Amino acid sequence: LDWWQADRYCEQRFAQLLFEPQDSERDSFSKLLQSHHIRGSVWLKERDSVLHKTKRRRGHTVPVLVFRDKTDTKYVKVLSDFPALPAVTACAHLQWDTRTQEIATIFSYAVPAFINEFQLRGFVDEEGFVRFALIVHGHHSPYLPVFRADGQWHHFCVTWQQENGTWAIYADGKRRASASGLCSVGQSAPQAILGQGTFIIGQDQDSLGGTFRAKESFSGNITDLHIWHKVLGAEQIEKVRSCWVVEQDLVFGWSSNALEVESTVQAVTTQLLCPGPVEECRVLDVGSRGFSYASCLQTLPFICCYSKDAYWQLKRAQLESSHSLTSRVNTLAVRTVIPDSVFTSDVQDMNLSVALDALDVLATVLREGEMPMLEPSDLLAVLQLLKQVSDIEVQEGDELEMLEQLGQNYIEITELILEEQNIGTWSSISQVIRGPMAVVELCDRMVSLLVPLLTAERTKITIQHGNVGLHRVTVKNMWFGYGSLQRCLSGIGTSAASQDVAASDGGQKYLSTTVGTAVISSALLSGYQEISTSVRYRLQHQGNIRVFFLFLLHVSPDAGGMWSTAGCSVMMSLPDSTACFCNHTTNFAILLQVYEMQRTTKEEFALQTLTFIGCGVSFCALIVTFILFLVVRVPKNERTTVHKNLIFALAAGEALLMFSELAKTNQALCFTVTAFLHLFFMAAFSWMLVEGLLLWSKVVAVNMSEDRRMKFYYVTGWGLPVLIVGVTLATSFNKYVAANHCWLNVQTNVIWAFVGPVLFILAVNTFVLLRVVMVTVASARRRSKMLTPNSSLENQIGTQIWATAKPVLVLLPVLGLTWVCGVLVHLSIVWAYVFIVLNSLQGLYIFLVYAIYNSEVRNAIQRMKDKKKA
C-alpha cells in the first residue's frame, strides 16, 4: 500500500504504523524482518514529527547565529534601513533551547517614537510546545502554540498588515494562528510600522538599540531571517520554507555582511535540510539497515505495531466474545459488514453506498436494544467500522441525499455507543482506545465529508440524535450531551489537573475534577481545510454547581484527551451556565474543580507561629503536670492513672508536632515522624475516650471490678491506636505520608484512619458530657431546694447555669470536644485561629484544672509542706 493507505490500515485495526527504530534497535530489527522474508524497504512513521507527512529535502548551507544561554549582552543588529511598513512578513529557521521555559525575544524592532514597535516573543508551555506572540505598536497578541520544543530546526513566518490589523503565524508550512484587530485604535485603522528603526535579533530593547535584560533574551540558534514589506501568501511561504528566496519586496535578506554581531555571539555554518515540492515519506531499508525517503504514493510493505497491553486486551476481547452483535449485523446485511476479528485483513474498502448500507444495518441492530450493554469486542467492532466510514472519499456524482443519510446514521450510532450502560465497556478497552474522546475525533473527521452538502442555497446543516448532534453554517459544530463521555473523561485526561494547583487568588487547593457540561467541537472550514478563528460559546452546567476554573478539551485520541486553558477566558459565569471566549477552535468543555481552602503565605506563617507557641506552652504545662503527679504522691486511683496516660500521649504528640517540619527534607525520617504522630495523637484521643468511659462509670453504675476496668482502659488507650496504625501501614504503606508535610495523606483514604476514630470518640464523649450535665443540673436543683427552699427565681436560675457551665468548662478539653471546631476550619480563617488556640492550649488547660485547682494535688503538696516543717 502507499504510505497513506498503510497508515490508515493500521489505524483502523487499533495499531500504529511502525515507528522509526532507535539506533540501538536497528540491527536486531532488520534481522527480525529478514527472518520473516521481508526484503527491500518498509514504511516508517517518524517520531516526534511536527508535520503529519515528511517531504523531500535538499541541502542548503547557511550561516547560523548561536545564542548560548540567556544573557543581557548577546545581540545581533541588522544593518539595514527599514522603510515604513504598512505590511510586513518576517521568516526564519529556528532551533529552540529546550533547557529554558522563560519568555524569550526572537527579535525586536524599535523606533524613537515607540520602543515596542514590532516584536516576536515566545516561551515553552507545560505541554512542551513553543508559543509565539506578536507585538505591533505595543499591542500584544495571545501566546499560541506553533511547534514542539524538541530541539529540532523549525521554520516560522509572521505576517501583519495595516488594513484591519490582520496578522498570522506560520510554522513548518502550516498556519498555526490568525486574527484581525491587532493594534487597532478605536474605529480608525492602525498606522503602519514606522521606518528608520533599529532591528535587534535575540534581545528585547528597553531603549533604542540597548538596555537588554537576560530574562527576556533568546537562547538557541537562528538563521535564514528574511523580511518583506508585504504579506506573503501560503504558496510563497512554502517556497521560503523550502529555502527559495522571494526577491520581490524584500527589505532584508540573510547575509553575514548585513549583520553587526556582538563578540560573544558565535557564528557557524550549517546545512539545513529544506523540504521540496514532492511529498516523500520515511522508509527503512531492510538490507542496508539504513533510513531514507521514498515517494509517499509508492506501494511498499508495512508493519502495524501494538503495545503489549493493547494487543493482549484485544486478544482477550476476541476470546471472550459471544459474537452476538457481529452475527446479527452480518445476518441482517446478508454479507460480512463486521469481521469476526479486528485483526482480519480482508476488510473491503468502502464507497458511499457500501458505507451507508453498513451503518443502516448497524443502527437498526443497536436501536433494537436487545443487548443491554455492549461487549468489549462489540464496541471495538463498531469503532472499527466508524473508522472505515470516516476515511471514505466522496466522489463527484455521489448522491447528496445518501451523504446526508450517512451523517444521520453516523450520529445515531455514536449516541448509542455513548450511552451510560456502556461505561464499564469503555473502561475494559482502555489500553486499546483511551476513552470515548476517540469518538469525538471520528465524528470530527466524518463531518468534513459533508462539505458538498453546503451550497449557496443551503447554508445550514443540522443533524441530531439524542445527546449528540452537529450544526453547520460554514462553521462545523458538534456537541456531546452529558453521559458516558463525560463520566469516562472525568476519570482520564484530568491527570493534567491531578496535581495540586492553586486557584488564581492563591486561596484554594485542588482536590478533584469532573466534566460538568456537554463536550462541543467547533471548526471553521475554508474549502476542505480547517482554519483557526476566535469563538464565543455558552455551556449549560450539569446540575447547579459553582465553576471554579474553566478548562477546554483538546482532543488527542491516542492519549484519551488533553486538558488546557490556553487562549480561553470566562466572559460570564452563572449558577446554571458559563459563557466563554476562545481565540481558536477545537473541542470545548467545562471542568468543575473542587477546591479546599489554601491560605496565603502570611496566614500560614501566622498559624504556624501560633501553633508552635501554643504547643510549646502546652507541652511545658503537660510535663509539669505529669511530674507533679509523680512527685507529690497523689493517691493512686483510676482517675489519676487515666490522667497520666492522657498527659503522656498528648505531650509526646505535641513535641513531635513542633519539630515535624524539620523532618520534611528526609523521606525516611518524615515517614517515621508521621507514624509516631499518628500513634500518639490516636493514643491521646483513645485516652480521651477512656476519660469519657470513666465519667460514665461514675454517673451510671457499671458492674465491673476496678482491675478489669483498668485492663480494659489500657487496651483501649494503647492497644487500639497500635492496631489502627499497624493496619494502616500494612494496607497503605506507599500512600501513607502527605506530599508537603509530615502527616497523613489527605488526598487518599489514609486520613480516615485518624479522622474516622476521632469522630467516633467525639460523638461518644459528647453523649457522655450531655449525660453528666443532665445529672449535675438535676443534682444542683435538688440541693438548692433542700438548702435554700425560699431563694429567689434569679438565684435558682444562676445556680442552674453554673451547674451547667462548670462540667462543660472542666470536661471539654479533657474529652477532646474542642476538636469539633476542626469541622468548621474550611469555612473561615477565623475558625482556624479558634481551633489552634483551643487545642494548642489544651495542655495548659489540663495543667490549670487537674494540677493547680485539683484538690488532691493541692492536698498532697500541703502534706509535703507539713511533713517538711515537722
Side-chain angles (χ1 to χ4, degrees), residues 454-473:
L454 291 176
T455 64
E457 293 75 27
R458 186 180 186 184
T459 59
K460 182 189 298 184
I461 303 170
T462 302
I463 298 175
Q464 182 174 4
H465 189 277
N467 285 328
V468 182
L470 65 92
H471 173 78
R472 289 197 49 179
V473 186

Side-chain angles (χ1 to χ4, degrees), residues 7-203:
D7 187 50
R8 190 159 57 242
Y9 181 96
C10 294
E11 185 191 359
Q12 288 176 1
R13 284 151 186 81
F14 308 103
Q16 287 184 317
L17 196 61
L18 174 65
F19 275 104
E20 184 177 308
Q22 303 287 355
D23 291 341
S24 59
E25 304 169 340
R26 196 182 306 179
D27 290 343
S28 60
F29 200 81
S30 294
K31 291 177 182 178
L32 177 64
L33 293 178
Q34 290 174 2
S35 68
H36 287 78
H37 309 291
I38 298 176
R39 300 287 187 268
S41 300
V42 295
W43 288 126
L44 291 177
K45 200 167 189 175
E46 288 190 89
R47 297 179 185 272
D48 303 324
S49 178
V50 175
L51 294 178
H52 184 61
K53 48 195 174 188
T54 312
K55 297 186 176 183
R56 189 186 68 192
R57 306 178 181 193
R58 67 182 184 87
H60 177 56
T61 303
V62 288
V64 175
L65 300 177
V66 179
F67 292 82
R68 197 182 305 276
D69 301 324
K70 294 170 74 69
T71 70
D72 59 357
T73 57
K74 292 184 173 66
Y75 76 95
V76 175
K77 182 178 180 181
V78 174
L79 303 177
S80 179
D81 292 328
F82 286 84
L85 300 171
V88 64
T89 299
C91 299
H93 281 88
L94 194 70
Q95 199 173 27
W96 199 274
D97 186 352
T98 58
R99 297 172 300 170
T100 176
Q101 291 186 321
E102 295 179 332
I103 289 177
T105 304
I106 295 92
F107 63 75
S108 62
Y109 176 75
V111 295
F114 212 110
I115 298 301
N116 294 325
E117 183 70 358
F118 180 48
Q119 191 176 124
L120 182 65
R121 299 158 69 90
F123 74 97
V124 180
D125 65 16
E126 296 177 351
E127 297 163 7
F129 282 89
V130 175
R131 291 175 173 267
F132 275 359
L134 190 63
I135 300 175
V136 179
H137 301 320
H139 293 262
H140 207 298
S141 77
Y143 282 98
L144 298 172
V146 289
F147 55 80
R148 188 175 290 279
D150 52 9
Q152 303 297 315
W153 282 102
H154 294 277
H155 183 262
F156 75 87
C157 288
V158 294
T159 68
W160 178 85
Q161 60 182 346
Q162 180 178 350
E163 184 179 356
N164 299 324
T166 304
W167 60 275
I169 299 177
Y170 295 81
D172 298 315
K174 289 187 176 181
R175 181 160 57 179
R176 305 296 183 180
S178 63
S180 60
L182 182 59
C183 114
S184 294
V185 181
Q187 298 299 319
S188 62
Q191 62 181 354
I193 294 174
L194 300 177
Q196 306 305 313
T198 301
F199 195 105
I200 298 292
I201 302 172
Q203 293 286 358

Side-chain angles (χ1 to χ4, degrees), residues 109-328:
Y109 176 75
V111 295
F114 212 110
I115 298 301
N116 294 325
E117 183 70 358
F118 180 48
Q119 191 176 124
L120 182 65
R121 299 158 69 90
F123 74 97
V124 180
D125 65 16
E126 296 177 351
E127 297 163 7
F129 282 89
V130 175
R131 291 175 173 267
F132 275 359
L134 190 63
I135 300 175
V136 179
H137 301 320
H139 293 262
H140 207 298
S141 77
Y143 282 98
L144 298 172
V146 289
F147 55 80
R148 188 175 290 279
D150 52 9
Q152 303 297 315
W153 282 102
H154 294 277
H155 183 262
F156 75 87
C157 288
V158 294
T159 68
W160 178 85
Q161 60 182 346
Q162 180 178 350
E163 184 179 356
N164 299 324
T166 304
W167 60 275
I169 299 177
Y170 295 81
D172 298 315
K174 289 187 176 181
R175 181 160 57 179
R176 305 296 183 180
S178 63
S180 60
L182 182 59
C183 114
S184 294
V185 181
Q187 298 299 319
S188 62
Q191 62 181 354
I193 294 174
L194 300 177
Q196 306 305 313
T198 301
F199 195 105
I200 298 292
I201 302 172
Q203 293 286 358
D204 177 20
Q205 305 174 61
D206 284 346
S207 62
L208 189 64
T211 316
F212 309 136
R213 289 188 290 179
K215 67 178 183 178
E216 295 180 343
S217 64
F218 172 71
S219 178
N221 304 325
I222 189 169
T223 187
D224 224 20
L225 174 66
H226 292 78
I227 303 171
W228 296 264
H229 60 82
K230 70 173 184 178
V231 173
L232 297 186
E235 292 182 3
Q236 292 175 308
I237 287 176
E238 183 62 21
K239 283 186 177 180
V240 174
R241 176 171 168 258
S242 302
C243 305
W244 298 100
V245 178
V246 177
E247 299 289 349
Q248 185 179 4
D249 297 319
L250 185 66
V251 175
F252 170 74
W254 188 246
S255 172
S256 301
N257 298 327
L259 300 173
E260 177 185 307
V261 182
E262 193 267 336
S263 59
T264 59
V265 177
Q266 189 178 1
V268 299
T269 301
T270 191
Q271 187 178 57
L272 289 179
L273 292 175
C274 303
V278 179
E279 292 179 350
E280 294 196 347
C281 297
R282 193 74 154 165
V283 295
L284 170 66
D285 297 318
V286 179
S288 65
R289 303 171 186 174
F291 301 128
S292 62
Y293 289 91
S295 171
C296 296
L297 298 177
Q298 184 178 343
T299 55
L300 289 176
F302 62 95
I303 298 171
C304 298
C305 297
Y306 294 90
S307 69
K308 287 183 179 179
D309 291 338
Y311 179 80
W312 289 116
Q313 202 168 72
L314 277 169
K315 294 289 287 185
R316 191 182 307 114
Q318 298 299 315
L319 291 172
E320 297 174 356
S321 173
S322 64
H323 299 290
S324 56
L325 178 70
T326 301
S327 60
R328 293 183 62 202

Side-chain angles (χ1 to χ4, degrees), residues 420-456:
E420 292 195 35
Q421 65 263 27
N422 294 320
I423 293 176
T425 308
W426 281 104
S427 300
S428 67
I429 59 170
S430 60
Q431 296 300 321
V432 182
I433 295 291
R434 298 185 182 275
M437 281 309 299
V439 177
V440 178
E441 173 70 5
L442 290 175
C443 287
D444 194 61
R445 282 158 55 178
M446 187 278 304
V447 170
S448 297
L449 299 176
L450 306 182
V451 171
L453 295 177
L454 291 176
T455 64

Side-chain angles (χ1 to χ4, degrees), residues 331-528:
T331 301
L332 186 60
V334 200
R335 64 182 181 86
T336 302
V337 173
I338 299 177
D340 290 332
S341 170
V342 294
F343 300 109
T344 302
S345 60
D346 59 352
V347 178
Q348 60 179 326
D349 288 332
M350 287 192 171
N351 56 33
L352 181 58
S353 177
V354 173
L356 180 58
D357 289 342
L359 291 191
D360 189 44
V361 172
L362 179 58
T364 301
V365 173
L366 291 176
R367 199 184 300 127
E368 291 172 357
E370 293 185 9
M371 294 171 291
M373 183 178 71
L374 290 175
E375 295 180 355
S377 61
D378 296 337
L379 184 54
L380 289 169
V382 173
L383 290 171
Q384 186 178 50
L385 182 60
L386 293 179
K387 282 174 179 281
Q388 288 180 272
V389 173
S390 66
D391 287 332
I392 67 172
E393 295 183 6
V394 180
Q395 306 295 329
E396 289 187 17
D398 285 338
E399 296 183 19
L400 298 184
E401 292 78 6
M402 294 173 59
L403 186 58
E404 184 163 3
Q405 186 59 46
L406 181 78
Q408 294 279 4
N409 291 344
Y410 203 102
I411 294 297
E412 180 180 1
I413 292 170
T414 298
E415 198 275 335
L416 290 170
I417 65 174
L418 286 176
E419 289 183 346
E420 292 195 35
Q421 65 263 27
N422 294 320
I423 293 176
T425 308
W426 281 104
S427 300
S428 67
I429 59 170
S430 60
Q431 296 300 321
V432 182
I433 295 291
R434 298 185 182 275
M437 281 309 299
V439 177
V440 178
E441 173 70 5
L442 290 175
C443 287
D444 194 61
R445 282 158 55 178
M446 187 278 304
V447 170
S448 297
L449 299 176
L450 306 182
V451 171
L453 295 177
L454 291 176
T455 64
E457 293 75 27
R458 186 180 186 184
T459 59
K460 182 189 298 184
I461 303 170
T462 302
I463 298 175
Q464 182 174 4
H465 189 277
N467 285 328
V468 182
L470 65 92
H471 173 78
R472 289 197 49 179
V473 186
T474 307
V475 178
K476 66 177 181 183
N477 295 319
M478 293 188 297
W479 63 93
F480 294 79
Y482 197 86
S484 68
L485 175 62
Q486 283 76 4
R487 295 180 189 274
C488 287
L489 286 174
S490 294
I492 62 169
T494 55
S495 58
S498 62
Q499 56 188 332
D500 288 353
V501 292
S504 57
D505 62 352
Q508 294 159 342
K509 183 179 179 182
Y510 167 79
L511 288 181
S512 62
T513 304
T514 183
V515 184
T517 66
V519 175
I520 64 171
S521 175
S522 181
L524 179 64
L525 294 183
S526 176
Y528 287 86

